[in-house]
Amino acid sequence: MNTKHAILYLDDEEQNLIAFQALLRKDYKVFTTTDAHEAAEILSRENIAVIFSDQKMPDVSGVEFFENIIHEYPTPVRILLTGHADIEAVIDAINKGQVYRYVSKPWESGDLKICIENAVEKYQRDADLLMKKASLLKTQGEMAIAQVFNLLYQWLTLRWTDESAGVDRGDLSACINALQQIASLNKIFSEGYNTPLAQSQNNLNPNELIER
């Protein structure tokens, strides 16, 4: 059985939340709240695919709510429920990439379902693309590591057997480039945190390594 995608709906009008829950609960895992802080808390503990928010609320607008959470939770697809009076702010948010699309209120049930289906499909496509990129980066990292060990092995073998030919500078430069690639991949996987390997080679120079 397929796992239901999770949807979060933020609205200060309780009746809208009840209608939304009744319409979508059979097909999705639905979370509703009237409070922006609670919405952020739900995002922190649940794997939300789509965030649906009213634009006009007493404490925070829908656009402001999305601005507050987009950096920490960039992957959920964001949809605004809005009236015509708010359309300029909504268009601006869409142009900035903060909102996937908007739904005019009062919504029509059929249109809302289609909108949610499209948003979930987009979320799944984006997730699949991220998985493919992660797999590619993993492969590139493994290749870079193999290159590093191969070049270092050749270098140490030549050095410890007292062969006068030495190691080609181009090979050592390639070794350093591979180390730098590993550091770049490490930053991507760890979101900016450098492992000891990355930290140890950030300022490494091929010529300095040759001299050593």
Side-chain angles (χ1 to χ4, degrees):
M1 186 174 67
N2 293 331
T3 303
K4 292 181 179 180
H5 285 91
I7 299 174
L8 170 62
Y9 180 27
L10 170 64
D11 196 324
D12 63 308
E13 298 183 41
E14 189 72 36
Q15 65 271 24
N16 289 342
L17 300 179
I18 294 171
F20 188 89
Q21 178 82 250
L23 180 66
L24 299 171
R25 64 186 176 188
K26 289 184 180 179
D27 299 315
Y28 304 100
K29 187 178 181 182
V30 180
F31 297 88
T32 62
T33 179
T34 59
D35 182 74
H37 295 291
E38 184 180 0
E41 196 276 329
I42 293 170
L43 282 168
S44 71
R45 71 171 192 265
E46 301 291 341
N47 185 24
I48 300 295
V50 180
I51 308 172
F52 194 86
S53 176
D54 188 22
Q55 166 63 3
K56 277 211 166 185
M57 295 179 288
D59 298 325
V60 63
S61 72
V63 170
E64 289 170 342
F65 172 70
F66 288 148
E67 288 175 346
N68 291 337
I69 57 94
I70 191 171
H71 295 295
E72 191 169 359
Y73 307 103
T75 53
V77 179
R78 297 167 295 279
I79 300 173
L80 271 179
L81 174 66
T82 182
H84 293 294
D86 309 313
I87 198 66
E88 289 186 7
V90 173
I91 291 174
D92 183 57
I94 292 173
N95 290 337
K96 290 179 179 178
Q98 297 168 338
V99 177
Y100 167 61
R101 62 161 295 177
Y102 72 92
V103 174
S104 297
K105 60 180 183 182
W107 71 66
E108 197 280 319
S109 297
D111 291 341
L112 181 63
K113 282 188 173 182
I114 292 172
C115 176
I116 296 293
E117 288 171 5
N118 291 339
V120 168
E121 288 174 1
K122 181 184 186 305
Y123 173 83
Q124 193 59 58
R125 286 196 306 270
D126 292 346
D128 292 343
L129 182 59
L130 284 174
M131 289 295 293
K132 290 178 181 178
K133 287 182 177 180
S135 177
L136 177 60
L137 288 171
K138 181 176 181 291
T139 300
Q140 290 174 340
E142 290 170 348
M143 292 173 63
I145 291 170
Q147 183 184 13
V148 167
F149 279 107
N150 181 51
L151 291 170
L152 287 176
Y153 174 78
Q154 293 177 30
W155 176 45
L156 293 173
T157 300
L158 288 170
R159 184 169 181 174
W160 289 347
T161 56
D162 293 324
E163 292 191 15
S164 58
V167 179
D168 183 79
R169 283 174 177 265
D171 286 342
L172 286 174
S173 295
C175 180
I176 300 304
N177 289 335
L179 283 169
Q180 291 170 341
Q181 184 179 8
I182 292 171
S184 297
L185 293 171
N186 177 63
K187 289 178 182 179
I188 293 172
F189 283 119
S190 61
E191 298 180 345
Y193 174 78
N194 286 327
T195 64
L197 171 62
Q199 293 170 353
S200 67
Q201 61 78 51
N202 277 339
N203 299 315
L204 204 55
N205 185 292
N207 293 325
E208 293 177 358
L209 181 57
I210 294 170
E211 292 172 3
R212 296 174 192 173

